[in-house]
Amino acid sequence: MQIIRLYHAGLNLMPTHDAARWNARYRADNEHLDGMRTSFERPRPFLVENSPYLPASGLALDAAMGLGGNAGFLIERGLRVAGVDISDLAVRCAKARLPSLQAVIADLTCFSLPPAAFDLIVNFYYLQRDLWPQYIRALKPGGVLIFETLTQEMMTLRPDIEPVYLLAPGELRKAFAELEIIVYREGWVNPHGKHPRAVASLVARKP
Ligand SMILES: C[S@@+](CC[C@H](N)C(=O)[O-])C[C@H]1O[C@@H](n2cnc3c(N)ncnc32)[C@H](O)[C@@H]1O
């Protein structure tokens, strides 16, 4: 089972803090659910809803893939998928479930994406602003970006979340204004459920 592990500039500089924190979270979820599928193993509803905009074939990047719920959905739809995550545990679980996944353990804070390489980039519940210009460059012309993550509105429910990890109103739309914005919305997902989330969601295409 081949998994690619990338280190910054060839040095063993993986920031073990984030990797360890996410490994612990995935381990705890797994023990808690005793082998049942976690929400991280299912595709995000916004991705499923917007599947008419997915390319029929080609290469997709799932940035901060987690356990591969989105990656699995994309593979089922005929795409080749490269999934990158800092948590080696998450990447190994995803690869075990999805043998054709191009699985990469890497820290996206020191990662370079190749230009014009991807037909699709998905970014769900991960916020690293300096990746955004790379996403635009890394899409092929006609390539699609699907993005959803938490907004500052979330602080009304979770004041403990650091604002730097939350999108400001209109920020996501503005960041990708040079793409053709197909869908954009801000609001609550699952408002009456167990885990309500204030999010901004976007589907955009590179001209
Ligand atoms: C909230 S989860 C989202 C997972 C998946 N995208 C989803 O929607 O289910 C955030 C993911 O970001 C990953 N992550 C955090 N920091 C990272 C970094 N610096 N580089 C790569 N992945 C990172 C974590 O390991 C975790 O899997």
Side-chain angles (χ1 to χ4, degrees):
M1 178 162 97
Q2 201 201 354
I3 294 180
I4 300 164
R5 186 187 280 269
L6 294 177
Y7 295 112
H8 181 45
L11 299 171
N12 196 349
L13 287 177
M14 185 80 95
T16 50
H17 176 70
D18 279 352
R21 192 165 59 85
W22 277 99
N23 278 343
R25 163 108 185 250
Y26 286 123
R27 201 169 288 118
D29 272 8
N30 197 39
E31 279 162 18
H32 177 62
L33 294 168
D34 200 18
M36 277 163 60
R37 282 183 95 193
T38 76
S39 60
F40 286 122
E41 283 177 271
R42 289 193 286 269
R44 296 284 177 182
F46 185 71
L47 179 64
V48 178
E49 272 164 41
N50 287 288
S51 50
Y53 299 113
L54 294 175
S57 60
L59 180 62
L61 170 71
D62 187 349
M65 158 187 74
L67 294 173
N70 290 333
F73 179 74
L74 297 174
I75 288 170
E76 271 171 25
R77 294 188 55 99
L79 287 148
R80 287 173 293 121
V81 180
V84 182
D85 202 285
I86 200 170
S87 161
D88 54 309
L89 180 64
V91 174
R92 279 178 217 293
C93 288
K95 180 71 180 167
R97 219 165 39 83
L98 307 166
S100 70
L101 175 73
Q102 296 173 32
V104 182
I105 301 167
D107 178 1
L108 283 163
T109 64
C110 40
F111 198 78
S112 290
L113 296 176
F118 298 102
D119 301 279
L120 172 72
I121 296 179
V122 299
N123 179 126
F124 277 80
Y125 296 91
Y126 180 70
L127 183 53
Q128 186 190 320
R129 291 175 174 83
D130 61 11
L131 269 180
W132 299 351
Q134 283 207 60
Y135 286 170
I136 295 172
R137 274 196 303 275
L139 281 172
K140 291 180 185 169
V144 173
L145 172 68
I146 304 189
F147 198 128
E148 182 171 86
T149 199
L150 301 175
T151 62
Q152 290 171 356
E153 183 80 15
M154 196 66 201
M155 283 193 294
T156 57
L157 213 66
R158 291 274 315 273
D160 56 304
I161 302 182
E162 284 188 50
V164 70
Y165 295 120
L166 299 170
L167 290 166
E171 183 182 0
L172 193 61
R173 186 208 293 265
K174 199 168 159 206
F176 292 104
E178 71 185 84
L179 304 183
E180 177 203 348
I181 310 259
I182 303 169
V183 178
Y184 183 76
R185 68 181 192 212
E186 292 182 17
W188 287 89
V189 167
N190 204 15
H192 309 296
K194 207 170 159 199
H195 299 293
R197 284 185 292 263
V199 299
S201 316
L202 167 133
V203 180
R205 188 179 288 119
K206 186 168 173 173

